[in-house]
Amino acid sequence: MIDLHTHHNRCGHATGSLREYVTAALDKGVKVLGLSDHTPMFAEDADHALPPVAMPKSEFPSYVAEALALKEEFARSIEILVSTEADFFSGRMDPYTEALSRYPLDYVIGSVHMFEGRDIFDTTRWENIAESELAAVKGRYFQAIAACARSGLFQVMGHIDALKGNCPQLGAVPAPAAADEMLRAIRDSGAVMEINTSGGTKMCGGWYPESDILERAFHFGVPVTFASDAHVPDRICDQYPEVVQVLHAIGFRTWTVFRRGTARTLPLS
Ligand SMILES: [Zn+2]
Ligand SMILES: [Zn+2]
């Protein structure tokens, strides 16, 4: 089993220490574990710009140091990859590039949490959305993900239809042209798409992305990786066997992981 997307208590909204995530992964028989807590808000002036969302900038060195120490300590039992999940803010990424280049990260997850000025998981933003607007807003979110991929800053594209998280009707509405453009952008950038099983922690349930996008991703040759997006240690590799089964039925045969930025495939099993 692999799991490339996990958090821990430094971000302010997850529970458990890094060590607790590692030991939970060992207990479950995980072979490759990515530690990928939320990236500090490097584009903001304040050290701790958004306390409940991400760790202070000044905390990032100790995060990476602790993750690297665990990687070494457990090297014989589990492969630990050191990563972070960054927010993509179009046109404001230079401070991220500069800050992250100082660390020996295995990969960076790029995610769009802030979209058209608001948090996608803020339930109040969806209260008055009209049925007729759903496909257009979903298409624009896919365009934002495509821009995130084209930035070339990320190896893994995070929860690519997370817009539906707290607006479940956005899951089923089709936006095929924008979806295909996004998938080609991910493939052409050399990044991979995660299958993220944390939908069950939001109103939408299920996984990111929807199964129609999984099928289109296979058609376009987009590589995939597994992501629990665990915010509690017990969710590591949540629903892993079900994901493997569904991906196998579609035709996928490999996972992709990254070691110091270089893609490696592993059998999908
Ligand atoms: Zn989080
Ligand atoms: Zn995220």
Side-chain angles (χ1 to χ4, degrees):
M1 291 199 289
I2 69 163
D3 189 343
L4 263 63
H5 189 154
T6 63
H7 296 277
H8 77 296
N9 55 21
R10 274 188 178 82
C11 67
H13 61 273
T15 55
S17 64
L18 282 179
R19 181 174 292 273
E20 287 171 301
Y21 284 78
V22 172
T23 52
L26 282 168
D27 288 347
K28 290 172 187 246
V30 176
K31 294 288 180 238
V32 182
L33 173 69
L35 302 172
S36 61
D37 205 10
H38 296 282
T39 313
M41 297 292 157
F42 283 124
E44 304 292 333
D45 290 334
D47 183 44
H48 204 186
L50 280 175
V53 172
M55 69 182 89
K57 290 189 252 188
S58 56
E59 185 69 18
F60 198 69
S62 80
Y63 161 62
V64 176
E66 187 181 341
L68 289 170
L70 288 165
K71 179 187 182 99
E72 205 172 299
E73 180 182 342
F74 290 95
R76 271 178 306 233
S77 319
I78 185 169
E79 180 176 9
I80 294 175
L81 301 174
V82 182
S83 172
T84 185
E85 180 190 15
D87 288 87
F88 176 67
F89 299 106
S90 188
R92 296 184 68 205
M93 296 309 288
D94 286 353
Y96 286 76
T97 312
E98 205 249 320
L100 296 179
S101 68
R102 293 186 220 135
Y103 302 94
L105 300 176
D106 288 299
Y107 59 96
V108 179
I109 303 173
S111 296
V112 178
H113 299 109
M114 292 299 289
F115 173 62
E116 298 182 344
R118 290 180 73 181
D119 189 325
I120 58 168
F121 297 127
D122 177 356
T123 51
T124 61
R125 81 172 283 165
W126 304 114
E127 277 167 1
N128 297 314
I129 188 158
E131 199 69 32
S132 58
E133 291 173 54
L134 292 173
V137 73
K138 187 171 178 176
R140 294 200 303 276
Y141 187 74
F142 285 165
Q143 285 168 1
I145 299 285
C148 180
R150 289 189 193 109
S151 75
L153 300 172
F154 310 106
Q155 288 73 46
V156 176
M157 303 308 302
H159 44 61
I160 63 169
D161 66 351
L163 198 65
K164 72 184 178 191
N166 285 333
C167 183
Q169 57 271 46
L170 277 165
V173 66
D180 292 353
E181 187 195 326
M182 165 184 70
L183 292 167
R184 282 194 217 98
I186 296 172
R187 178 198 60 198
D188 295 347
S189 72
V192 310
M193 175 180 90
E194 62 173 28
I195 317 304
N196 182 313
T197 58
S198 73
T201 68
K202 298 280 191 291
M203 288 160 69
C204 65
W207 308 336
Y208 312 109
E210 293 286 302
S211 52
D212 68 313
I213 297 181
L214 293 179
E215 289 169 10
R216 299 177 104 85
F218 180 70
H219 170 77
F220 286 114
V222 179
V224 290
T225 202
F226 183 87
S228 68
D229 205 346
H231 285 67
V232 292
D234 195 44
R235 274 206 66 251
I236 288 174
C237 280
D238 188 25
Q239 300 182 68
Y240 184 94
E242 293 88 338
V243 171
V244 167
Q245 198 176 23
V246 166
L247 291 181
H248 233 271
I250 292 171
F252 290 99
R253 292 294 178 267
T254 55
W255 291 127
T256 297
V257 303
F258 291 89
R259 297 182 181 124
R260 296 297 300 272
T262 301
R264 293 271 183 269
T265 55
L266 301 170
L268 181 91
S269 59

